[in-house]
Amino acid sequence: MAEKNWQAYDKDHIWHPYTQMQLVPEAIGVDRGEGSYLYLSDGRKIFDAISSWWLTLHGHAHPVIAKAIAAQAKKLEQVIFAGFTHEPASVLAKKLIEHAPEKLEKVFFSDDGSTAVEVAMKMCVQYWHQHKETRTTFLALDGAYHGDTFGAMSASARGIFTHPFGSMLFHVIHMPFPTPPVNGSKEYSKSEELFLEQLRNHAKHDHRIAGFIYEPLLLAAGGMKTWRSNVMEEAVKIAKEYGVLTIADEVMTGFGRTRTFFASDTIAFPPDIMTLSKGITGGFLPLGVTLATKKIYEAFLSDDRSQTFFHGHSYTGNPISCAAAVASFGIFEQEPVMDRIATICSVHNELMPKLAEKNNYNFRIQGTMAAMEPKNPEGYLSAKMQALGKACLDKGMLIRPLGDTIYFLPPYSTTRQDLEEAYGKLQEILDNDF
Ligand SMILES: Cc1ncc(COP(=O)(O)O)c(C=O)c1O
């Protein structure tokens, strides 16, 4: 189809995610990507400041991953994963286990972040079932976002995304989000204290609790809110003390986003289960992973086939996705990725506080993520922020505010100069239009 034709066809027939189709005239055509930039069908080049929904890790169309995908596609594109296996799955499992917090030694594949979370929650519930206990309630954080399937929605905060389905979601206890103290004090803030106290009470007294699910260090879609690793460590310690299983949802934070390889690396106690997706394939192909300890895995072993973990998806362990993920690990090994991450972090630390101060915004930085929001926020549907997103695009930058929160989470291919330019452009927009 010629360019005009395919874009017109999209407008007439394609239903886009998280998009009010009546209000968005048409989707922006993208012809190609390279490094941190997207090349649009109308000839413009834009900086991908949000890694295309937090996926793109080493840059768009990284040739090493592209080559690995092509080679795997010619060799074995797909095979049933029940009872069959292939080399890319094993090589990837080994790399994941080598990098993951200790004791996470079993790898369950699925397709995306939401399914990785569903798997984790089902594993928890069935783990207790295997032990002849009925535990079906989860603990989670206020403001959490774990995905759009029903289990993941249940674990997520109730709000605009889940509203129509409210009566269909199962019971999850959402505890106060542990906001760090404003003055940077080492002491716990009120909300940190409240969170730890509620966690302890539920973990100690409520024997329906199957597990505690949390986004380590960074509540992503909930507004890029940060929390402290000492609080996370204490929370995991409390959960372990009372036998509550812990699920670290690293779908967004994994693979260096918060500066360490996994956000869970910053604490002394490993989770029982960890979910991964997004950047796992470098952002090339869908893949979800749920890592579990041997203790969890062994609870499912039985002579009785009815005790099986009856969960799987058609594309589980897809060889091409696994090959892409192995190639992404190869880039970590071959290229100075951790240095690139450090550069992004240092630009954020230099420029975000100044930008926020100048414009009277609050700000937060967590590794390669830097976010800011007005001191008087308007709420998730803020028209002003929608307009700001559009103004950014007009200036050659993909920024998609999360409600009132404007943030940068660029691919690791981003240079100091790219990011400094992006900060400069954002300041110009705030100067002129907002
Ligand atoms: C922490 C977290 N968990 C789960 C998900 C769901 O992942 P997916 O969109 O791949 O289903 C997301 C997506 O933003 C996420 O940020």
Side-chain angles (χ1 to χ4, degrees):
M1 265 192 254
E3 184 204 310
K4 272 199 206 115
N5 292 348
W6 67 257
Q7 286 196 250
Y9 199 85
D10 176 294
K11 184 167 182 259
D12 289 343
H13 296 284
I14 300 185
W15 192 345
H16 289 264
Y18 278 93
T19 305
Q20 175 42 262
M21 299 304 292
Q22 185 166 313
L23 298 178
V24 175
E26 62 193 64
I28 296 158
V30 183
D31 281 352
R32 66 183 188 91
E34 190 181 330
S36 303
Y37 291 87
L38 293 167
Y39 293 80
L40 308 187
S41 307
D42 62 11
R44 284 183 293 158
K45 172 184 171 186
I46 59 168
F47 174 58
D48 186 353
I50 58 160
S51 300
S52 281
W53 259 347
W54 325 334
L55 269 72
T56 308
L57 215 59
H58 309 291
H60 289 279
H62 194 294
V64 169
I65 303 180
K67 196 170 157 201
I69 288 173
Q72 186 58 43
K74 286 185 203 154
K75 197 171 166 196
L76 176 69
E77 84 301 345
Q78 169 63 11
V79 66
I80 177 173
F81 209 60
F84 290 79
T85 192
H86 46 78
E87 190 178 354
S90 274
V91 176
L92 175 57
K94 184 164 185 288
K95 296 222 173 276
L96 287 167
I97 291 165
E98 280 166 6
H99 283 79
E102 59 165 343
K103 298 206 173 127
L104 292 170
E105 292 172 38
K106 299 289 173 182
V107 180
F108 193 98
F109 289 110
S110 59
D111 299 345
D112 50 52
S114 301
T115 54
V117 167
E118 294 290 331
V119 167
M121 296 178 84
K122 284 177 73 176
M123 264 179 193
C124 274
V125 171
Q126 193 174 337
Y127 169 88
W128 293 113
H129 182 82
Q130 303 293 110
H131 287 288
K132 316 257 174 294
E133 284 193 50
T134 304
R135 289 182 177 235
T136 53
T137 301
F138 284 85
L139 298 172
L141 290 173
D142 262 351
Y145 176 81
H146 296 287
D148 289 344
T149 50
F150 273 87
M153 275 198 292
S154 299
S156 302
R158 303 295 180 268
I160 189 169
F161 301 167
T162 59
H163 184 66
F165 317 104
S167 62
M168 301 170 74
L169 303 180
F170 57 76
H171 182 52
V172 171
I173 298 167
H174 289 96
M175 299 172 293
F177 179 73
T179 307
V182 257
N183 58 7
S185 157
K186 286 209 167 106
E187 306 286 305
Y188 288 145
S189 68
K190 277 267 166 302
S191 67
E192 287 173 336
E193 263 174 20
L194 202 62
F195 158 64
L196 291 171
E197 189 188 307
Q198 287 198 13
L199 176 66
R200 184 178 290 281
N201 274 339
H202 289 299
K204 191 170 173 184
H205 300 297
D206 191 341
H207 298 294
R208 299 164 306 163
I209 307 290
F212 165 43
I213 180 165
Y214 56 96
E215 295 162 81
L217 300 184
L218 182 58
L219 212 77
M224 295 294 169
K225 298 202 173 85
T226 58
W227 57 303
R228 302 197 286 184
S229 69
N230 61 328
V231 177
M232 181 165 84
E233 182 167 278
E234 185 62 19
V236 174
K237 190 170 151 217
I238 292 170
K240 285 190 187 297
E241 198 178 323
Y242 297 106
V244 166
L245 297 176
T246 46
I247 305 172
D249 179 357
E250 296 239 15
V251 164
M252 186 269 181
T253 50
F255 306 97
R257 288 294 189 196
T258 64
R259 193 156 192 167
T260 49
F261 202 79
F262 293 116
S264 298
D265 295 342
T266 58
I267 64 171
F269 312 105
D272 299 291
I273 297 178
M274 191 160 109
T275 57
L276 300 171
S277 186
K278 292 201 183 272
I280 190 170
T281 59
F284 275 63
L285 287 170
L287 181 66
V289 163
T290 306
L291 291 167
T293 58
K294 235 158 109 184
K295 178 181 97 170
I296 293 188
Y297 172 81
E298 283 173 356
F300 291 72
L301 300 179
S302 169
D303 292 336
D304 175 358
R305 287 176 59 206
S306 75
Q307 306 292 302
T308 303
F309 186 46
F310 287 112
H311 189 105
H313 301 277
S314 313
Y315 280 97
T316 292
N318 174 261
I320 308 176
S321 297
C322 291
V326 170
S328 175
F329 266 109
I331 295 170
F332 273 103
E333 287 155 14
Q334 301 294 323
E335 299 184 18
V337 180
M338 295 321 271
D339 294 346
R340 291 173 188 157
I341 288 174
T343 301
I344 294 171
C345 297
S346 85
V347 177
H348 285 332
N349 285 315
E350 282 163 38
L351 300 186
M352 181 49 88
K354 289 186 200 151
L355 185 74
E357 193 188 344
K358 180 151 188 239
N359 298 284
N360 198 26
Y361 276 48
N362 291 321
F363 75 95
R364 300 176 281 279
I365 302 171
Q366 182 59 265
T368 66
M369 189 295 303
M372 60 191 259
E373 71 202 357
K375 292 204 169 143
N376 296 314
E378 288 180 2
Y380 190 80
L381 297 177
S382 164
K384 184 174 151 191
M385 287 301 160
Q386 289 275 322
L388 187 134
K390 162 100 182 43
C392 288
L393 261 183
D394 293 343
K395 273 221 175 285
M397 187 159 66
L398 167 53
I399 284 199
R400 192 182 150 95
L402 273 167
D404 289 291
T405 309
I406 312 167
Y407 67 94
F408 291 111
L409 185 81
Y412 305 154
S413 47
T414 302
T415 62
R416 171 171 281 278
Q417 194 189 342
D418 292 329
L419 197 51
E420 284 176 355
E421 259 175 47
Y423 270 96
K425 282 182 183 175
L426 187 53
Q427 182 58 65
E428 280 171 34
I429 291 165
L430 291 166
D431 279 345
N432 295 333
D433 304 321
F434 292 90

